[in-house]
Amino acid sequence: MSLDAVLSRIDQDLEAATDRLLTLLRIPSISTDPAFKADCDAAADWLVEDLTSIGFDATKRKTPGHPMVVAHDTEVADNASPHLMFYGHYDVQPVDPLDLWDTPPFEPAIEDTAKGRVIRGRGSSDDKGQLMTFVEACRAWKAVNGTLPARISFFFEGEEESGSPSLVPFMTENADELRSDVALICDTGLFGHDTPAIVTMLRGLLGEELTITGPSKDLHSGMYGGVSMNPARVLARIIAGLHDDEGRVTVDGFYDDVPELPNSLRAQWEDLNFDHKSFLGEVGLSVPAGETGRSPLEMIWSRPTCEVNGLWSGYTGDGFKTVLPSQASAKISFRLVGQQDPLKIRESFRAYVQSMLPQDCSVDFKDHGASRAGHMSTDHPAFEQARIALSEEWPNTAAYVGCGGSIPIAGHFKNILGVDAMLVGFGRDDDQIHSPNEKYDLESFHKGIRSWARILDAMSK
Ligand SMILES: [Zn+2]
């Protein structure tokens, strides 16, 4: 088994690999729009056929929505280990507004840009280009060595961009078949331009909506102003009280289950030299607004938040109206980390709001969902092996990073199957996923394939 031979096979085969990706990109597998149901099916069929062609027992599985694709290697060497389950999604986001695309979204092409060659088209980065990096690595490895160095299975979903309604039931029903030593997920990005990243922390989310009611109807401020309680004033006080002067959230017990960052991880993050000035500068800001004494990366990846996402009351149309509103409302979300319990925080938040209500005011709450933070254990040796292998392919050393958003599939692998997920991705910040003119750097695609070959080699030793 020679890694070098596999890597040069990947280099030689890049044009053919790109052509295969372009073929998959031509299938408009938009999962949210029923008009594209047959296309989602066709994308699943294409993957089944492609995986079959490299020696996998690949099947399309029915769900109430779009099908899953599950595949297992039929040519497993006796000593192949560990067992790795690779996850990706073949569905894509809708393309509108169509007139903002410079080229038709489902007529993908290679384009020369100032920053290098790119593959332009919907799904090129999210997630067809990314999932094909692993398929191509397996193809090259098999072409050179006959069998793969680890036991590989595939699990592709077709509803990721539309809320994954069939995912949990499918994983629960097929738990034994989908279980592996480690799950690999390729749907994230590099850090900056040249630093490979393994995401190990994902923040959870709690959504709350509250409406405060004062007077039984809207009033005229000339007649009632001064004597009646204004719920907008009450809501403003409540919101103002959610943070202290140090930027900390004041909800009772909020930081109880928030861990401090381990020193080793803090050092890795410092080495990333995150340029918060340009990160904030891009959106017209200059000063990090989180907790005093925390680095900007900590604020985004490892600290919990409380944010106002919507706020309304009284008259907001053109002109002016001297109304005293009967109601005031807000939508408030919390990003959660560590072991924070969303239900405990909801209770504590609601108790705080109740405690701030003056006489004659009442509050109604609406629940907008709650999920815990995800924390990937990196204890399995595969994680450190992958980090070293990635560092050999890319200019910069790979890092374990956090992710401000949530990637539910990682939690499902852990909670349903008991398997830790390794999130390695080769997307770039400017890929414009979910937007017009989505692209994937040809370099990301090429080095992504090479990265997986190195990772497989490292894990099998
Ligand atoms: Zn995706």
Side-chain angles (χ1 to χ4, degrees):
M1 262 184 347
S2 151
L3 173 63
D4 285 342
V6 176
L7 293 176
S8 43
R9 167 83 195 188
I10 289 169
D11 298 346
Q12 288 154 18
D13 200 38
L14 182 63
E15 205 179 308
T18 308
D19 282 342
R20 282 185 287 269
L21 173 56
L22 294 178
T23 306
L24 179 58
L25 290 173
R26 282 186 202 106
I27 306 172
S29 45
I30 302 171
S31 59
T32 196
D33 186 343
F36 295 89
K37 189 174 176 5
D39 298 297
C40 289
D41 224 58
D45 285 332
W46 188 91
L47 286 165
V48 166
E49 199 178 311
D50 193 50
L51 290 174
T52 305
S53 78
I54 53 170
F56 280 79
D57 176 13
T59 48
K60 189 170 75 171
R61 306 289 185 84
K62 269 205 177 70
T63 75
H66 302 302
M68 307 283 178
V69 172
V70 180
H72 305 289
D73 199 353
T74 59
E75 307 157 336
V76 186
D78 288 345
N79 54 352
S81 99
H83 182 198
L84 305 169
M85 171 63 77
F86 179 87
Y87 165 92
H89 64 90
Y90 66 76
D91 63 321
V92 299
Q93 280 275 325
V95 293
D96 36 317
L98 194 56
D99 55 328
L100 293 186
W101 286 78
D102 298 332
T103 52
F106 295 110
E107 292 172 28
I110 308 295
E111 197 180 300
D112 282 306
T113 74
K115 289 183 183 172
R117 307 190 84 194
V118 305
I119 305 164
R120 181 86 61 194
R122 173 56 90 225
S124 54
S125 174
D126 183 15
D127 183 41
K128 289 172 174 172
Q130 297 246 55
L131 73 83
M132 286 306 288
T133 57
F134 193 80
V135 177
E136 294 299 346
C138 292
R139 189 188 326 270
W141 197 290
K142 282 196 169 203
V144 172
N145 296 308
T147 55
L148 291 165
R151 205 174 126 212
I152 305 291
S153 299
F154 286 91
F155 176 29
F156 293 137
E157 180 193 3
E159 300 181 318
E160 199 272 346
E161 304 291 7
S162 49
S164 299
S166 310
L167 185 62
V168 170
F170 186 85
M171 288 180 85
T172 309
E173 273 161 39
N174 299 279
D176 287 339
E177 185 185 356
L178 297 175
R179 197 166 286 122
S180 60
D181 295 318
V182 176
L184 306 176
I185 301 175
C186 190
D187 199 12
T188 50
L190 300 161
F191 181 86
H193 198 263
D194 284 324
T195 307
I198 302 174
V199 176
T200 60
M201 298 163 84
L202 300 159
R203 292 196 291 191
L205 186 61
L206 169 66
E208 285 280 276
E209 182 173 331
L210 66 158
T211 296
I212 293 172
T213 304
S216 57
K217 56 182 178 226
D218 283 0
L219 305 171
H220 189 293
S221 70
M223 198 159 356
Y224 282 93
V227 73
S228 68
M229 180 50 74
N230 183 335
R233 237 173 83 193
V234 176
L235 181 61
R237 261 188 80 214
I238 289 172
I239 290 174
L242 281 169
H243 294 87
D244 67 15
D245 291 344
E246 310 275 79
R248 284 170 66 87
V249 178
T250 57
V251 170
D252 203 31
F254 190 70
Y255 292 97
D256 281 359
D257 303 302
V258 176
E260 274 305 319
L261 203 57
N263 284 332
S264 60
L265 206 51
R266 188 184 302 275
Q268 271 188 31
W269 290 7
E270 271 162 23
D271 284 348
L272 291 173
N273 292 319
F274 177 54
D275 182 359
H276 75 265
K277 289 205 173 79
S278 77
F279 180 75
L280 289 174
E282 263 169 49
V283 294
L285 299 173
S286 58
V287 186
E291 295 165 77
T292 310
R294 301 283 175 185
S295 75
L297 270 190
E298 269 185 280
M299 291 176 191
I300 304 167
W301 289 347
S302 70
R303 299 300 296 174
T305 67
C306 167
E307 296 291 355
V308 179
N309 305 117
L311 191 55
W312 65 100
S313 179
Y315 180 72
T316 56
D318 285 341
F320 202 87
K321 189 177 171 190
T322 53
V323 63
L324 285 183
S326 160
Q327 294 190 314
S329 304
K331 291 180 196 281
I332 293 179
S333 66
F334 299 86
R335 291 275 172 189
L336 307 177
V337 303
Q339 303 305 315
Q340 279 182 301
D341 177 353
L343 302 181
K344 205 174 107 186
I345 287 168
R346 167 179 293 149
E347 224 170 83
S348 195
F349 166 71
R350 290 184 178 187
Y352 159 73
V353 172
Q354 295 280 4
S355 77
M356 296 286 283
L357 285 184
Q359 233 176 344
D360 288 343
C361 281
S362 63
V363 61
D364 281 307
F365 294 102
K366 204 189 270 180
D367 147 13
H368 284 286
S371 65
R372 282 175 172 272
H375 186 86
M376 266 42 81
S377 156
T378 54
D379 291 347
H380 195 286
F383 282 84
E384 203 48 27
Q385 287 158 351
R387 199 172 75 81
I388 293 165
L390 283 164
S391 305
E392 275 159 17
E393 176 63 27
W394 295 83
N396 298 335
T397 306
Y400 294 124
V401 304
C403 174
S406 51
I407 302 177
I409 178 71
H412 298 329
F413 271 112
K414 185 76 195 173
N415 300 329
I416 301 171
L417 308 178
V419 174
D420 282 305
M422 186 190 296
L423 294 120
V424 177
F426 310 102
R428 285 194 163 123
D429 290 346
D430 61 356
D431 280 353
Q432 302 177 90
I433 60 170
H434 298 198
S435 302
N437 299 319
E438 180 177 350
K439 61 89 178 158
Y440 197 36
D441 292 6
L442 203 53
E443 186 199 31
S444 289
F445 184 55
H446 185 193
K447 286 174 97 61
I449 302 169
R450 289 174 54 100
S451 296
W452 286 122
R454 288 182 188 276
I455 289 172
L456 288 180
D457 182 58
M459 284 186 185
S460 61
K461 280 182 175 150

